Amino acid sequence: MAPLVEEHFSSLQLLLKAPSKDIVRQLCTDSFPSRAPESRALIDNTARILSVSSSEAMQVLTALHMLSHHVVYHNLAAPEQILSIFPDTFHPNLKNLLTKILLEQSTTWRNESLANQISLPQLVDMEWRVDMKTASDSVSRMAVPTCILHMKIQDSPHVSGSSCDSSVTVELSKETLDTMLDGLGRIRDQLSAVAGK
Amino acid sequence: MLQLHFTKDTLPDSVSNDFQTLNKFSEQQFVSLTELLYQFLLEPKESERFLAQLSEFAGEHGMGACPLRGLMKSILLLPHGAMKKNLSAEQVKEDMLSLGLNEDKATHFSDQWRVHYPVLSRLAVGQTLMVNQLVDMEWKFGVTVGTSELQKAGNIFLQLKLVVRKGNTTENVYMELTLPQFYNFLHEMERAKASMDCFS
């Protein structure tokens, strides 16, 4: 993660041209997603709101992006920790406003990062059904229950450009389901053991 | 026209002849042959072994291996049909008598049927079509220590690998679950099991 440097903070001072505190808050939120500072639409909008050039707008957004990510990365939760990032020469009111906004948003941003992190395809949804098999070509009369399980899995949006859902349907016999529950039970026990420590 | 339990089709004469040929075997020979037959029924994949055992039997008792194999092929029609139709031992015995087998041999065969029936019917059910059968499940869970966005993290993740049989090959399905998703999954599977248990 690249460090915050002097020019980032001088770009941030351009925020003093914002017409209201809510605008600053909005810009903070809009600049957080990855690659947001490169969005043409966002740059143009910011330039218009702050009455600055496009390149200056991009610098502001980049600086905001880096600042917010720095706070989230290091999990800075106390106001003093955030205030200490800014240089002494930084405009004090703007510094306090930014600190306040960052503190408000950091939990949301942190949870968002956790939800969007790299992972195997994520289970999105599941449903099950129990059927009764009454006949087949090998046995003309029977009463065998069977379980059909359907899972919707979403490929990580970081891996493929847009997320794509794939669907898996599996059939389980009673024995298989029992074995699976055995395994899941062991996972639950181990999880409780870990949580208890 | 014979009225048989194990099949509605008209059997060729050769089949009824084959059943009557069995009467020529001694009691000892018939018992051994029945044992080989049931061994094969209980392990239907062991066809090579079955054929080898028949050849050995033929050699020991001075008969041709080929005719013996042909004979057993006809005899097998009865237990296969009986499994399909969930026939009782009495019905099996009735069919054998209708086909001309003598009383003692028919009784012995149907007694063996009674003994092996639970395993045989479980086997038949096990051969029933299953679509995308779940064959295996592997899992691991761990803790995310940090990411590029968060220097220190501590959330638990669970990874599952499901092995699914598709036709003759298997396919692996990988997925990750968060902790709440895992508990929900476990809960749903327990409900499914409860539902299945109602029926057995």
Side-chain angles (χ1 to χ4, degrees), chain B:
Chain B
M1 243 286 277
L2 284 172
Q3 288 286 16
L4 293 164
H5 295 293
F6 80 90
T7 180
K8 293 270 177 291
D9 302 330
T10 317
L11 288 175
D13 288 336
S14 55
V15 175
S16 18
N17 289 342
D18 283 333
F19 271 91
Q20 280 153 33
T21 310
L22 284 177
N23 288 329
K24 296 197 196 128
F25 287 77
S26 73
E27 197 187 313
Q28 187 53 47
Q29 287 171 331
F30 184 75
V31 166
S32 310
L33 213 53
T34 310
E35 200 185 307
L36 290 181
L37 187 112
Y38 274 100
Q39 227 183 32
F40 175 58
L41 286 173
L42 290 166
E43 285 168 312
K45 294 213 169 80
E46 300 286 340
S47 49
E48 291 291 323
R49 185 186 70 185
F50 181 55
L51 291 172
Q53 285 170 327
L54 285 182
S55 301
E56 204 185 304
F57 184 91
E60 276 171 16
H61 299 274
M63 54 185 83
C66 280
L68 182 63
R69 270 189 232 143
L71 178 73
M72 293 311 272
K73 217 169 128 185
S74 298
I75 309 299
L76 275 171
L77 289 173
L78 191 143
H80 282 154
M83 268 201 282
K84 233 174 157 167
K85 302 215 170 179
N86 309 96
L87 294 185
S88 65
E90 287 70 36
Q91 287 168 313
V92 166
K93 182 172 166 184
E94 273 168 33
D95 277 355
M96 299 201 104
L97 292 172
S98 307
L99 286 162
L101 194 64
N102 69 32
E103 176 84 29
D104 291 339
K105 295 193 166 73
T107 309
H108 175 78
F109 194 92
S110 55
D111 284 345
Q112 288 297 297
W113 178 260
R114 186 178 293 114
V115 166
H116 293 297
Y117 183 66
V119 180
L120 286 173
S121 64
R122 245 202 303 279
L123 206 67
V125 166
Q127 281 165 0
T128 307
L129 177 69
M130 275 194 102
V131 182
N132 285 3
Q133 186 185 12
L134 181 68
V135 173
D136 196 16
M137 177 177 89
E138 288 177 28
W139 51 266
K140 74 169 166 216
F141 74 85
V143 177
T144 303
V145 174
T147 76
S148 50
E149 299 301 310
L150 302 164
Q151 190 183 40
K152 281 207 193 98
N155 56 317
I156 299 181
F157 63 85
L158 174 73
Q159 285 176 356
L160 282 183
K161 169 180 155 193
L162 301 175
V163 183
V164 179
R165 179 167 292 129
K166 285 195 158 184
N168 282 335
T169 56
T170 57
E171 181 186 305
N172 297 334
V173 179
Y174 298 93
M175 65 183 86
E176 197 168 300
L177 284 78
T178 62
L179 218 49
Q181 282 177 321
F182 164 70
Y183 284 114
N184 182 51
F185 186 66
L186 175 60
H187 177 66
E188 290 302 318
M189 290 292 95
E190 281 176 341
R191 284 177 70 202
K193 177 177 152 69
S195 181
M196 289 241 251
D197 284 342
C198 277
F199 291 111
S200 33

Side-chain angles (χ1 to χ4, degrees), chain A residues 129-183:
Chain A
R129 184 177 97 187
V130 168
D131 287 347
M132 187 64 97
K133 294 190 200 179
T134 53
S136 81
D137 62 318
S138 43
V139 184
S140 59
R141 227 180 46 242
M142 59 185 188
V144 177
T146 185
C147 176
I148 314 263
L149 177 63
H150 174 244
M151 289 172 284
K152 208 180 283 170
I153 296 171
Q154 188 182 63
D155 269 328
S156 177
H158 290 270
V159 175
S160 51
S162 57
S163 60
C164 58
D165 285 354
S166 64
S167 193
V168 178
T169 311
V170 284
E171 187 174 339
L172 297 85
S173 67
K174 192 164 181 310
E175 290 74 32
T176 313
L177 183 57
D178 285 342
T179 310
M180 182 194 235
L181 274 172
D182 221 20

Side-chain angles (χ1 to χ4, degrees), chain A residues 5-183:
Chain A
V5 293
E6 187 56 49
E7 49 188 35
H8 292 127
F9 290 106
S10 36
S11 305
L12 282 174
Q13 306 233 66
L14 287 169
L15 286 169
L16 288 164
K17 299 175 95 182
S20 73
K21 290 184 182 168
D22 285 332
I23 299 285
V24 177
R25 183 171 284 111
Q26 190 61 44
L27 287 171
C28 275
T29 323
D30 290 344
S31 65
F32 184 80
S34 60
R35 320 198 66 157
E38 290 162 33
S39 152
R40 192 77 253 161
L42 188 59
I43 295 173
D44 290 341
N45 202 29
T46 309
R48 194 174 42 81
I49 294 173
L50 296 176
S51 308
V52 294
S53 70
S54 292
S55 60
E56 284 174 324
M58 188 162 137
Q59 282 166 4
V60 170
L61 291 169
T62 308
L64 270 176
H65 180 89
M66 296 201 59
L67 180 63
S68 51
H69 278 259
H70 179 93
V71 168
V72 169
Y73 182 79
H74 291 283
N75 198 24
L76 302 177
E80 305 79 50
Q81 289 172 312
I82 302 180
L83 287 167
S84 63
I85 307 173
F86 294 89
D88 296 328
T89 51
F90 200 84
H91 191 284
N93 288 353
L94 183 58
K95 182 166 67 174
N96 290 336
L97 175 62
L98 283 173
T99 304
K100 183 159 161 258
I101 296 170
L102 289 167
L103 279 173
E104 278 168 17
Q105 294 292 331
S106 66
T107 318
T108 315
W109 284 335
R110 193 185 164 82
N111 292 338
E112 242 176 64
S113 295
L114 279 173
N116 290 337
Q117 71 183 351
I118 279 178
S119 71
L120 285 182
Q122 199 83 25
L123 178 71
V124 173
D125 197 12
M126 65 157 280
E127 40 183 18
W128 59 266
R129 184 177 97 187
V130 168
D131 287 347
M132 187 64 97
K133 294 190 200 179
T134 53
S136 81
D137 62 318
S138 43
V139 184
S140 59
R141 227 180 46 242
M142 59 185 188
V144 177
T146 185
C147 176
I148 314 263
L149 177 63
H150 174 244
M151 289 172 284
K152 208 180 283 170
I153 296 171
Q154 188 182 63
D155 269 328
S156 177
H158 290 270
V159 175
S160 51
S162 57
S163 60
C164 58
D165 285 354
S166 64
S167 193
V168 178
T169 311
V170 284
E171 187 174 339
L172 297 85
S173 67
K174 192 164 181 310
E175 290 74 32
T176 313
L177 183 57
D178 285 342
T179 310
M180 182 194 235
L181 274 172
D182 221 20

